[in-house]
Amino acid sequence: MTTTASRTTVDLASPLTGEHLLRAAAPVEVLIGPTVAQRLHRGRDHLRGVLADDERPVYGAKTGFGALVGFAGRASEADQCDNTLAHLGAGQGPDLPPDVVRAALLVRTWSLAQGLSGVSAHVVDGLAAMFGTSFVPAVPRYGSVGASGDLIPLAYAAQALRGRGFAYLDGVRVPAAEALAEAGLTPLSLDGRDALALVNGTSVTTAALSLALSSVRASHIAVQDLTCLLADVLGADPGFVNPRLIDAYGHDGARVVATRMRALLDGIRPSGDRPLQEPYSLRCSPQLLGACEDALRYVDGVVRSDLAGVSDNPLFFPDDDLVAHGGNFFGQPAAFAGDVLAMVTTSLGNLAERQLDLLVDPVRNTGLPPMLAAGPGQQHGLQGVQLATTAFVAEMRRGTVPASTQSLPTNLHNQDVVPFGTQAALRAYDLAELLRLLCGSLALGLRQAVHVGGRRPTAPGCADLLDALAGAVEPVDPDRPLDEDVRVAADLVTGTRSRPAAGPSAETHPPSGGTV
């Protein structure tokens, strides 16, 4: 990936990364070089040869779909395309966030560009052109089970690219045909194989999981930083990150986290006013954060493999004259990873909320005023923010029930086991944003603690972090609404910005997608 002052370039001949997906929220340049073009043409030529052989069955091109595979499909390729997409226009709910949709289409584009799906070259060309604009298909959230690919959401995306249904352009929801015209894009023309290849992959699942992972990774670092700042503001002894202690614990993640925390705490001078043993939210933070690091490395590996894989059915291998029918659209790895990521996210949220609770409690915060109020009773400081963080954690805990174990047969038992990876990934994506807000809430509390009598940090790294917060957020004196301050602090400590809002709910606009 290369980045200029104005635009990122994604080369489809190179590996796809999570950073590509983050940058795809804005216009990016997608390159289709000669290697990719050759792969696409070879794959398409092989498909044509297979379809010309009456003795060779090809799912979705010569047959019906799903449980109706035993019946012949439509004779016309254009009709087969319409039939593929029309019956999948059954999604409901609010539109998916624009960054998820564009990231999903980048994943889909890269998968198709490997030349194993038999798609027309102009399909990849059209997708590449879309990424140079702000066009975003309007895709309803609910409808995928993460098996046979994200069929329903990707069908809405495909319809919008054909000029049917709805789309966003520069953040405004309009009929897709209008958005294409204003963006200077040509509606995609698809045959049956093109249409099936566009929908028959777990690209929404992979995209949501990757974006969630990027956000949680940033918050994980932020919680480490804020834990160090909390220790310094309170005057705690840094012995809980002692290298001999952590090495004896035996876990690599804890070693990585504690090494980083020691660097930030370098120069700290304990006040001597704290108890011999701090509460677990400080004392056990390297162990908790280290376990999160170990788990995040597992999710890293799943995302990396998903981004490097081809998700479709069937796949076409010209060198072996092989049409392979199978299950490369089954999102079980992402389902497990999404569940693990949700557990990590909620555990980090628990830690941040407990640390804020420690900070606002005069019994445990070394004598700072209750709720960090500048004038208790006349002012209420962080009281509203703490109430909100309690609600955030309750929501996160409710959302941590595993999705990957909830298999429910569907499609006349053709899909008799399903992974629900889409649910796991989108749920992790939602929880990641709540964790960001918890980081912002704790950061705001630490900035306020110093204002109401907490000591200035003695470790230079911690002092720099406090100064950055003080430069971005005014002290709470007098009381004021703090919702925006929490978001500003979250942006600062995580190095990320608040996500674009999802589209309006389904109740406020006509259904998107479908044949019009």
Side-chain angles (χ1 to χ4, degrees):
M1 179 181 72
T2 59
T3 304
T4 65
S6 59
R7 182 165 295 189
T8 296
T9 297
V10 180
D11 187 345
L12 294 178
S14 300
L16 192 62
T17 68
E19 184 65 22
H20 289 131
L21 270 58
L22 286 171
R23 293 183 179 274
V28 296
E29 182 181 11
V30 175
L31 296 181
I32 305 170
T35 300
V36 171
Q38 182 181 25
R39 284 199 300 243
L40 288 168
H41 287 299
R42 288 196 72 230
R44 188 65 172 181
D45 289 345
H46 180 234
L47 170 70
R48 286 298 178 202
V50 170
L51 293 181
D53 185 345
D54 293 337
E55 301 300 317
R56 299 186 72 173
V58 179
Y59 169 73
K62 299 181 178 181
T63 70
F65 305 108
L68 305 183
V69 65
F71 298 86
R74 299 192 180 186
S76 162
E77 290 189 343
D79 285 350
Q80 187 76 338
C81 166
D82 286 341
N83 194 29
T84 305
L85 300 178
H87 86 280
L88 294 172
Q92 299 290 348
D95 289 340
L96 287 172
D99 60 333
V100 172
V101 175
R102 283 181 61 95
L105 286 175
L106 185 57
V107 174
R108 198 82 217 108
T109 302
W110 191 92
S111 180
L112 298 178
Q114 304 316 297
L116 302 181
S117 293
V119 296
S120 308
H122 76 262
V123 172
V124 176
D125 291 338
L127 287 164
M130 182 215 74
F131 282 107
T133 75
S134 67
F135 184 93
V136 188
V139 176
R141 175 169 181 138
Y142 302 117
S144 177
V145 298
S148 291
D150 294 309
L151 292 168
I152 285 177
L154 288 173
Y156 280 82
Q159 290 285 53
L161 290 164
R162 299 174 75 203
R164 309 184 182 201
F166 292 83
Y168 294 88
L169 191 68
D170 296 328
V172 179
R173 195 178 197 275
V174 296
E178 179 182 327
L180 288 171
E182 291 186 14
L185 298 171
T186 301
L188 277 184
S189 92
L190 308 172
D191 62 22
R193 178 58 206 153
D194 293 336
L196 185 60
L198 275 170
V199 304
N200 224 14
T202 52
S203 302
V204 173
T205 300
T206 298
L209 180 63
S210 180
L211 295 177
L213 174 62
S214 295
S215 179
V216 175
R217 272 288 187 191
S219 292
H220 182 238
I221 294 294
V223 175
Q224 294 172 50
D225 294 346
L226 295 171
T227 300
C228 293
L229 182 55
L230 174 64
D232 203 348
V233 167
L234 292 178
D237 190 292
F240 62 96
V241 292
N242 183 285
R244 297 289 298 276
L245 174 76
I246 300 300
D247 280 347
Y249 189 57
H251 290 271
D252 287 342
R255 292 189 184 100
V256 169
V257 165
T259 297
R260 188 177 181 281
M261 293 175 71
R262 282 195 300 273
L264 192 60
L265 287 168
D266 186 40
I268 187 175
R269 296 190 299 276
S271 67
D273 297 328
R274 298 295 296 172
L276 174 64
Q277 296 199 132
E278 291 286 351
Y280 283 10
S281 57
L282 269 179
R283 189 180 3 143
C284 301
S285 59
Q287 289 78 13
L288 191 158
L289 291 164
C292 291
E293 172 65 25
D294 288 331
L296 288 172
R297 291 182 179 188
Y298 161 70
V299 182
D300 286 338
V302 172
V303 169
R304 189 164 50 249
S305 294
D306 261 16
L307 292 178
V310 175
S311 178
D312 200 354
N313 176 58
L315 296 183
F316 301 86
F317 298 89
D319 290 345
D320 303 305
D321 190 23
L322 171 66
V323 180
H325 292 83
N328 277 19
F329 48 39
F330 197 79
Q332 194 70 60
F336 287 150
D339 284 343
V340 168
L341 188 57
M343 289 189 288
V344 168
T345 305
T346 300
S347 294
L348 290 170
N350 286 336
L351 178 62
E353 188 275 335
R354 287 293 84 199
Q355 290 179 343
L356 180 61
D357 182 74
L358 169 63
L359 190 61
V360 302
D361 183 354
V363 175
R364 297 178 293 145
N365 67 12
T366 323
L368 297 177
M371 291 297 171
L372 306 178
Q378 300 299 309
Q379 298 192 48
H380 295 80
L382 272 287
Q383 185 162 275
V385 169
Q386 195 206 18
L387 284 170
T389 62
T390 304
F392 298 162
V393 171
E395 184 68 17
M396 294 172 82
R397 290 178 180 178
R398 187 181 65 82
T400 309
V401 175
S404 59
T405 59
Q406 306 298 318
S407 180
L408 185 67
T410 188
N411 199 232
L412 300 184
H413 289 265
N414 170 51
Q415 297 182 29
D416 55 350
V417 290
V418 297
F420 287 124
T422 321
Q423 283 77 4
L426 288 172
R427 186 257 331 272
Y429 175 93
D430 293 340
L431 298 186
E433 182 61 16
L434 290 174
L435 176 58
R436 259 181 36 88
L437 296 175
L438 281 160
C439 289
S441 301
L442 177 57
L444 180 62
L446 288 161
R447 189 266 180 271
Q448 179 70 2
V450 175
H451 175 70
V452 296
R455 74 174 194 168
R456 177 171 173 78
T458 56
C462 292
D464 289 344
L465 177 55
L466 175 69
D467 289 344
L469 285 166
V473 179
E474 293 294 321
V476 186
D477 188 4
D479 286 344
R480 65 176 185 274
L482 295 174
D483 47 359
E484 177 63 20
D485 295 272
V486 167
R487 293 190 291 270
V488 168
D491 291 349
L492 189 152
V493 297
T494 65
T496 62
R497 295 197 60 79
S498 299
R499 291 173 178 154
S505 68
E507 288 74 23
T508 63
H509 57 66
S512 59
T515 302
V516 296

